[in-house]
Amino acid sequence: MARKNASDDPLAPVTLAVGQEELLLDRAVREVVAAAKATDPDTDVRDLTPDQLQPGTLAELVSPSLFAERKVVAVRNAQDLSADTVKDVKAYLSSPAEEITLVLLHAGGAKGKGLLDAARKAGAREVACPKMTKPADRLAFVRGEFRTAGRSATPEACQALVDAIGSDLRELASAVTQLVADVEGTIDEAVVGRYYTGRAEASSFTVADRAVEGRTADALEALRWSLSTGVAPVLITSALAQGVRAIGKLSSARGGRPADLARELGMPPWKIDRVRQQMRGWTPDGVAVALRAVAEADAGVKGGGDDPEYALEKAVVTIARAARSRGRA
């Protein structure tokens, strides 16, 4: 979820939402609008893009109303504002108007950094909206969605939902909303499976699980179904890499309780149990072979080969064979 600074007030004169995760950026705007309308139901809301802000436009928008009405002005993609408009915004930051809340949505990075620095220097309330590229971040997001909804979901259920839905935060949030509305009591893995079994079968993590378990036919079937339903090849190589690395990490770790290993390896305890089951049959050489196969597939799906599907099939077969390397020794 979006992270906010310590002095958090949605009605602060200026809110700076920084990042590239569209769902979180939208939520940052909605939070400000909701707070403003709670104070004044007639709040005037303007949601603008850079092409709608010409030099002088901002001054008109933030000029005091004769009726002192509250106003929210949201500026999207603020890093793309023209130089003249940036000057207008910087001038406004030094003396913001009462009853008006300015929301600047900025992608972060080098482009438009002067405006970003100026807003921070002026004491803008900041909401971090980073792109969630890591599975662990998306898992934390799902857990946070359930907590916000006041509902309990098991760790396995949260992971199953991420595995089934993928990287789209809007779809993850929608799935949580649906489960919360439809299901009473604790939401577990079985519930997620009933709702999203088709998606789960097509997920990149299902492909990876079947491959590291040595189930070649099942892994290839899941791969073909996954590709046919539009899962990006790069997500599949990422899942394969995570699956093989987890085997390597756990096989080289000292024995111990799942909770201790979880802290040592940075995995949730339930995943330690799953990987322990998957690692039967693996050898250090097998892990090395599998990692090379993943690297070759990754290069193949990112432009290094002519047939991404073939590159993935080859990797899946190699990984599944490596998973049975101990039995062939």
Side-chain angles (χ1 to χ4, degrees):
M1 65 183 65
R3 298 190 300 273
K4 304 165 189 173
N5 58 12
S7 56
D8 184 55
D9 178 7
L11 293 181
V14 180
T15 286
L16 181 62
V18 184
Q20 300 179 40
E21 189 58 69
E22 291 297 328
L23 173 65
L24 302 184
L25 292 167
D26 287 345
R27 284 184 173 181
V29 175
R30 289 203 301 270
E31 182 184 32
V32 172
V33 171
K37 290 197 170 185
T39 301
D40 179 0
D42 296 324
T43 295
D44 180 18
V45 179
R46 305 295 180 91
D47 198 328
L48 307 167
T49 55
D51 60 297
Q52 295 173 299
L53 274 176
Q54 302 300 321
T57 304
L58 182 66
E60 297 176 9
L61 290 172
V62 298
S63 60
S65 166
L66 291 175
F67 303 100
E69 67 178 359
R70 183 171 288 278
K71 185 181 294 184
V72 174
V73 178
V75 180
R76 296 182 182 270
N77 298 313
Q79 72 279 357
D80 295 330
L81 291 172
S82 68
D84 288 337
T85 302
V86 167
K87 290 180 182 178
D88 291 344
V89 176
K90 288 182 176 180
Y92 176 77
L93 292 173
S94 65
S95 182
E98 292 185 11
E99 303 300 320
I100 293 176
T101 299
L102 176 65
V103 185
L104 297 174
L105 285 72
H106 195 292
K111 188 176 183 181
K113 189 173 184 299
L115 178 58
L116 196 62
D117 292 342
R120 286 169 171 162
K121 187 175 180 180
R125 164 186 178 254
E126 186 166 343
V127 180
C129 306
K131 197 75 175 174
M132 295 191 182
T133 58
K134 298 179 181 178
D137 293 337
R138 294 192 287 273
L139 182 59
F141 171 79
V142 168
R143 289 172 175 164
E145 291 291 286
F146 280 118
R147 281 197 302 270
T148 299
R151 294 295 299 277
S152 175
T154 66
E156 294 83 358
C158 293
Q159 183 66 57
L161 197 59
V162 172
D163 290 350
I165 301 299
S167 60
D168 191 318
L169 251 59
R170 291 186 189 278
E171 290 194 33
L172 285 169
S174 176
V176 170
T177 300
Q178 181 181 19
L179 289 169
V180 166
D182 293 355
V183 180
E184 295 183 358
T186 299
I187 296 165
D188 59 20
E189 189 174 13
V191 169
V192 174
R194 287 200 302 272
Y195 272 75
Y196 299 100
T197 183
R199 304 264 322 245
E201 289 170 1
S203 76
S204 55
F205 288 98
T206 299
V207 178
D209 284 341
R210 300 298 85 82
V212 300
E213 289 162 3
R215 296 162 57 180
T216 307
D218 291 340
L220 288 173
E221 181 181 359
L223 171 64
R224 289 160 188 157
W225 183 254
S226 186
L227 292 171
S228 72
T229 55
V231 176
V234 68
L235 294 180
I236 299 175
T237 56
S238 175
L240 290 170
Q242 290 179 53
V244 175
R245 286 173 186 149
I247 297 289
K249 283 183 179 180
L250 192 55
S251 63
S252 61
R254 299 185 301 276
R257 297 177 303 166
D260 296 331
L261 288 170
R263 285 191 294 271
E264 180 182 343
L265 302 178
M267 298 180 190
W270 65 265
K271 189 170 183 180
I272 296 292
D273 292 333
R274 176 183 292 181
V275 176
R276 271 179 169 165
Q277 295 174 355
Q278 293 175 333
M279 63 187 285
R280 296 166 186 162
W282 281 92
T283 65
D285 287 344
V287 172
V289 168
L291 287 174
R292 285 197 296 271
V294 171
E296 291 174 3
D298 190 55
V301 303
K302 291 179 178 176
D306 297 326
D307 191 342
E309 184 173 342
Y310 171 73
L312 287 169
E313 287 185 355
K314 182 180 177 183
V316 164
V317 171
T318 302
I319 292 168
R321 287 176 178 169
R324 301 192 301 272
S325 58
R326 190 182 301 277
R328 297 197 305 273

